Amino acid sequence: MESPHGAAVGAEDFGLKGPRGWVFRHVGFSAPPGSLVAVEGPSGSGRTCLLLALTGRMRATEGSAETGGLELPRKAAAVRRIAALGPVPGVSELDPAFTVAEHLRERALLQGRYGASLRTLLRPRAERRATARARIDTALEAAGLDTATLPKAERTSVRDLERLEALRLSVALALIGTPRLLALDDADLKLSPAERADAWALLRSVADSGTTVLAVCSEAPEDVQVVRTAPTTAEEAPAAPTAEETEETEEEESADAIAEAGRA
């Protein structure tokens, strides 16, 4: 798929703290454009919040970060224009009542209305429709989703999609806007080993096309760059939380922050 140059992403001593304690802390990494980066950690370790912070959708508490040369959080609005979200629970989920075609048409319409130049908007309607269809077809091909193989082709409801098919659809929707950065949550959730391999092959393909990819997962493949939100040794651990700040409250903190991002 033809894609703009990817966005370099990096952070130094990056952290986010909420009312109940640290959601994530001491995150540092640097990834060049077109990288495939896995954000790895156990549930409740702030993986999703880190993803949202690096895409300009959540404000970190300490440290520094840049996406596409844009400083966060000062340039968060500009980062949001170059970063697209794949599936993120509570923020950018597929509507199970929609068909594949409805999702694709809606995303192409939004892209054509808000992401196009004035000159493009003034083109004849038939030309704009053809351009939108070409965007959709290109994105579907890049995501490896052949709608002809679905039970009812593009009229298939999202609720009837297999997990890997839904992931491919979410990626296709994100790619319609030709982003410089693609970020997605739970890349390996509820996938068989074979499906997991297919999912990572898809993300590698997107990165190879030039788009930087950030993917949250529970276990990353050996051949990708890994960013961890949980310390691997006692020496790396941040300051201990209070007795009340258990793992359960950390998960609640992440959920609260994600819900806030979804309302933004």
Side-chain angles (χ1 to χ4, degrees):
M1 176 182 181
E2 212 174 296
S3 173
H5 197 262
V9 184
E12 184 176 351
D13 201 26
F14 205 42
L16 187 152
K17 187 176 185 180
R20 301 188 193 92
W22 290 98
V23 180
F24 63 83
R25 197 178 188 190
H26 300 318
V27 173
F29 73 101
S30 178
S35 297
L36 173 55
V37 181
V39 181
E40 184 184 76
S43 178
S45 64
R47 302 172 305 174
T48 305
C49 293
L50 175 60
L51 194 78
L52 295 173
L54 292 171
T55 54
R57 291 165 172 84
M58 189 171 289
R59 180 180 290 268
T61 307
E62 68 175 11
S64 60
E66 282 192 359
T67 296
L70 300 167
E71 181 186 347
L72 288 165
R74 191 167 63 89
K75 297 288 187 178
V79 169
R80 290 194 294 271
R81 288 193 289 271
I82 66 170
L85 293 180
V88 178
V91 180
S92 57
E93 295 175 298
L94 297 173
D95 188 328
F98 273 29
T99 66
V100 171
E102 287 169 337
H103 269 295
L104 292 168
R105 282 199 300 267
E106 179 186 56
R107 185 62 59 91
L109 177 63
L110 291 173
Q111 178 62 32
R113 181 170 296 178
Y114 299 109
S117 65
L118 178 60
R119 183 178 179 180
T120 299
L121 292 173
L122 293 176
R123 290 175 178 173
R125 179 177 296 180
E127 186 177 337
R128 284 185 277 123
R129 284 180 175 173
T131 299
R133 187 65 241 184
R135 280 183 175 271
I136 288 172
D137 291 342
T138 302
L140 287 171
E141 182 180 359
L145 181 60
D146 182 358
T147 57
T149 65
L150 301 178
K152 296 181 181 179
E154 288 193 2
R155 294 183 294 108
T156 303
S157 295
V158 165
R159 64 167 60 92
D160 295 326
L161 296 177
E162 300 292 337
R163 163 66 182 165
L164 184 58
E165 292 170 340
L167 177 63
R168 291 187 186 278
L169 175 59
S170 290
V171 169
L173 292 172
L175 293 179
I176 285 175
T178 59
R180 296 177 60 193
L181 171 67
L182 168 66
L184 63 155
D185 200 6
D186 291 332
D188 57 357
L189 181 67
K190 296 181 180 179
L191 295 179
S192 68
E195 291 172 331
R196 191 171 300 171
D198 286 343
W200 286 109
L202 161 62
L203 300 181
R204 286 189 191 92
S205 175
V206 173
D208 288 344
S209 75
T211 303
T212 306
V213 178
L214 290 176
V216 166
C217 64
S218 57
E219 185 176 355
E222 294 181 355
D223 59 342
V224 304
Q225 182 174 349
V226 177
V227 177
R228 292 185 173 86
T229 52
T232 57
T233 67
E235 289 76 14
E236 295 173 350
T242 63
E244 292 79 11
E245 290 168 342
T246 61
E247 181 179 350
E248 180 179 357
T249 58
E250 288 175 0
E251 292 179 354
E252 290 173 354
E253 180 66 36
S254 294
D256 291 345
I258 293 167
E260 182 63 30
R263 290 191 291 270

